[in-house]
Amino acid sequence: MIGYIDNKEDILKRLRRAEGQVRGIQRMVEEDTYCIDVLTQVSAATKALETVALALLDDHLSHCVAEATAEGGTVAEDKIREASAAIARLVRS
């Protein structure tokens, strides 16, 4: 089962909101909006996507990694390594 299945609708709602923000930013650029105002909206869209990423990561740790840890062995090691790599990607971005 997918870890985020219980929060799927909330995640989709947040993604739709971020999509709307990005479309709004495109419109702002098309309309030659002041740079700082565009940057403010880019920051808000970035934060919205970070919120989605953290929710997905939390669900992954709570479900997928927890189940793999209970199973133990190489399955657990692989899931922990995978989660660690995902966290590293989020931190770098």
Side-chain angles (χ1 to χ4, degrees):
M1 179 167 69
I2 301 171
Y4 60 84
I5 196 75
D6 293 336
N7 298 323
K8 185 176 180 177
E9 287 307 313
D10 183 52
I11 289 170
L12 287 171
K13 182 171 69 174
R14 290 176 182 274
L15 286 169
R16 286 185 201 103
R17 191 175 308 135
E19 180 183 23
Q21 286 176 307
V22 171
R23 275 192 254 109
I25 294 167
Q26 287 174 308
R27 218 173 11 260
M28 291 174 79
V29 171
E30 288 168 354
E31 296 170 358
D32 299 324
T33 303
Y34 184 59
C35 300
I36 296 301
D37 294 337
V38 175
L39 288 170
T40 299
Q41 291 308 309
V42 168
S43 178
T46 300
K47 183 70 175 166
L49 288 174
E50 287 173 354
T51 300
V52 170
L54 289 173
L56 288 168
L57 181 60
D58 184 57
D59 286 340
H60 182 66
L61 292 172
S62 299
H63 295 95
C64 303
V65 175
E67 287 175 12
T69 302
E71 188 175 325
T74 58
V75 171
E77 292 170 6
D78 290 345
K79 284 291 181 195
I80 291 170
R81 193 172 15 256
E82 179 184 63
S84 181
I87 292 167
R89 284 191 304 274
L90 284 173
V91 171
R92 280 189 294 244
S93 62

